[in-house]
Amino acid sequence: MAKIQLNGKKVVIKSKYSILDLLKKYNLDKKKIAVEYNGVIVPKVFFKKKYLKNNDKLEIVHFIGGG
Amino acid sequence: MEDNLKKDIFKVAGTSLKSRLIIGTGKYKSLSETAKAVKASGASMVTVAVRRVNILDKTKPLLSDYINPKKTIFLPNTAGCFTSGEALRTLRLAREMGGWKLVKLEVLGDKKTLYPNMIETVKTTKILVKEGFKVMVYCTDDPLLAKKLEDNGASAIMPLASPIGSGLGIQNKVNISLIIKQSKVPVIIDAGIGTASDATIAMELGCDGVLINSAIAKAKKPILMAEAFKDAVISGRNSYLAGRMGKNHFATASSPTKGLI
């Protein structure tokens, strides 16, 4: 188990959990989002291999209506 | 007229746009209303914001479920960013999301007026251009600063007509005209347009395009207003291309005086 911060909220995940696993858990299409991992943008090709650990900070963003 | 329109192509950073009207997608009642307004406006480019995904609500509909990014160009915007760092972070994420290089930069300086912080804006434009972005830049209507943006590689100059969301229309036609005359890149009025005739005035001044959000989204009937803007922009452009008559202080009769009975 690991405690991470996802979009400002505390989330508990299983160990050996990748960014891709997390996206699946929240039903997010990787084509429509971008991920920042501890302040660094993660290219989509690394989603599968990037495993999450305790105290990691993740931001997942998408496009919404705006001016 | 048809021939004229065919030759009169609107290009931003090498991308041809069918319409000179760009639509902001904020402030609508629903995503379905947003999509209908975009369709009615005929716009081929819309601005979008980058925000956190709501992880608690898995069923929340997405903008891209309603507006297809393959058919309508998404222009990621840095609305709400008050520092260069925030704006850079937002646009780098936007680029990662879908490979967008064409973006809109705005770095705000004051919460009450939402006036752009031009010092930060110029600095950020420079960095983004270096990183390979094509940057359309929201700015004040100061001709010197507009020139500075162009010199730093901006793909389009986007001066405000009046403060964002104010609906006050073009407050300084002289400055907008000066910016149009000096700029080699497109000049697009970005903020403050209140109603369709304001857009016509902008186009008659010689602007290459207008960006509208609140004036459509906050109209009593947004979809009808989107249509009104479509016509207003086309009319204004045609009027600019046609070249208006000269102004006289005295009357000139429309009918010949010869043969009067």
Side-chain angles (χ1 to χ4, degrees):
Chain A
M1 287 228 303
K3 274 182 205 164
I4 60 159
Q5 210 177 70
L6 172 58
N7 287 359
K9 289 186 179 68
K10 279 191 180 125
V11 172
V12 180
I13 50 158
K14 287 180 228 161
S15 47
K16 259 227 149 211
Y17 216 62
S18 70
I19 291 177
L20 196 67
D21 293 328
L22 195 74
L23 296 180
K24 275 183 194 153
K25 176 183 156 94
Y26 289 105
N27 205 14
L28 296 168
D29 181 351
K30 73 170 180 181
K31 280 181 222 137
K32 291 176 178 172
I33 53 101
V35 177
E36 197 187 71
Y37 172 81
N38 294 335
V40 182
I41 294 171
V42 186
K44 287 173 198 211
V45 284
F46 296 129
F47 284 178
K48 210 174 170 178
K49 286 180 195 161
K50 191 84 201 166
Y51 292 103
L52 302 168
K53 58 181 192 315
N54 236 352
N55 300 321
D56 274 348
K57 269 188 189 160
L58 241 82
E59 292 285 346
I60 306 178
V61 297
H62 65 164
F63 287 133
I64 64 152
Chain B
M1 193 193 82
E2 282 295 310
D3 285 348
N4 224 346
L5 280 178
K6 268 178 206 161
K7 272 180 241 160
D8 183 37
I9 295 161
F10 178 35
K11 257 189 181 177
V12 182
T15 306
S16 298
L17 301 177
K18 275 183 215 143
S19 170
R20 290 177 179 271
L21 176 59
I22 302 169
I23 299 290
T25 55
K27 294 184 180 173
Y28 286 91
K29 284 187 208 89
S30 64
L31 287 172
S32 127
E33 187 185 69
T34 316
K36 280 179 196 155
V38 170
K39 199 174 177 212
S41 76
S44 45
M45 178 185 268
V46 297
T47 59
V48 295
V50 175
R51 291 291 181 271
R52 278 174 168 169
V53 166
N54 183 353
I55 50 164
L56 298 176
D57 187 359
K58 290 183 194 178
T59 55
K60 216 178 167 198
L62 299 172
L63 182 71
S64 49
D65 296 334
Y66 286 83
I67 301 169
N68 185 349
K70 280 179 187 147
K71 286 181 184 159
T72 305
I73 299 168
F74 275 24
L75 182 67
N77 184 15
T78 61
C81 292
F82 279 82
T83 64
S84 180
E86 289 169 19
L88 289 170
R89 186 184 183 199
T90 302
L91 292 179
R92 285 168 184 155
L93 278 164
R95 178 165 62 178
E96 186 53 39
M97 211 159 342
W100 279 269
K101 273 191 182 161
L102 186 60
V103 294
K104 191 193 138 193
L105 172 70
E106 61 179 64
V107 186
L108 303 174
D110 178 62
K111 286 206 164 119
K112 239 181 187 168
T113 59
L114 296 180
Y115 238 65
N117 178 337
M118 289 305 295
I119 298 160
E120 289 285 296
T121 301
V122 172
K123 192 176 102 185
T124 317
T125 301
K126 216 174 181 172
I127 299 169
L128 288 168
V129 169
K130 249 188 203 161
E131 290 184 15
F133 283 95
K134 307 275 181 204
V135 200
M136 299 168 72
V137 193
Y138 172 60
C139 59
T140 55
D141 59 9
D142 181 325
L144 280 177
L145 290 167
K147 186 74 181 32
K148 192 110 191 151
L149 290 175
E150 190 175 344
D151 293 345
N152 278 292
S155 292
I157 306 295
M158 304 181 80
L160 50 83
S162 47
I164 295 173
S166 70
L168 291 171
I170 300 180
Q171 289 298 307
N172 198 338
K173 284 191 205 171
V174 178
N175 276 19
I176 298 294
S177 294
L178 286 172
I179 293 171
I180 292 165
K181 284 200 180 85
Q182 73 179 18
S183 301
K184 290 186 182 72
V185 294
V187 175
I188 300 161
I189 287 285
D190 192 340
I193 296 284
T195 190
S197 55
D198 293 338
T200 307
I201 291 168
M203 296 309 292
E204 281 181 337
L205 284 174
C207 284
D208 296 281
V210 291
L211 196 161
I212 312 290
N213 193 343
S214 305
I216 295 175
K218 291 288 147 197
K220 287 188 182 71
K221 294 179 181 171
I223 293 142
L224 187 57
M225 190 56 96
E227 245 176 79
F229 267 100
K230 177 186 180 178
D231 295 337
V233 168
I234 293 171
S235 287
R237 182 64 183 175
N238 283 342
S239 172
Y240 168 74
L241 293 173
R244 63 155 294 145
M245 65 167 281
K247 286 180 184 175
N248 303 304
H249 281 95
F250 293 101
T252 312
S254 299
S255 310
T257 43
K258 201 186 167 189
L260 262 176
I261 48 164

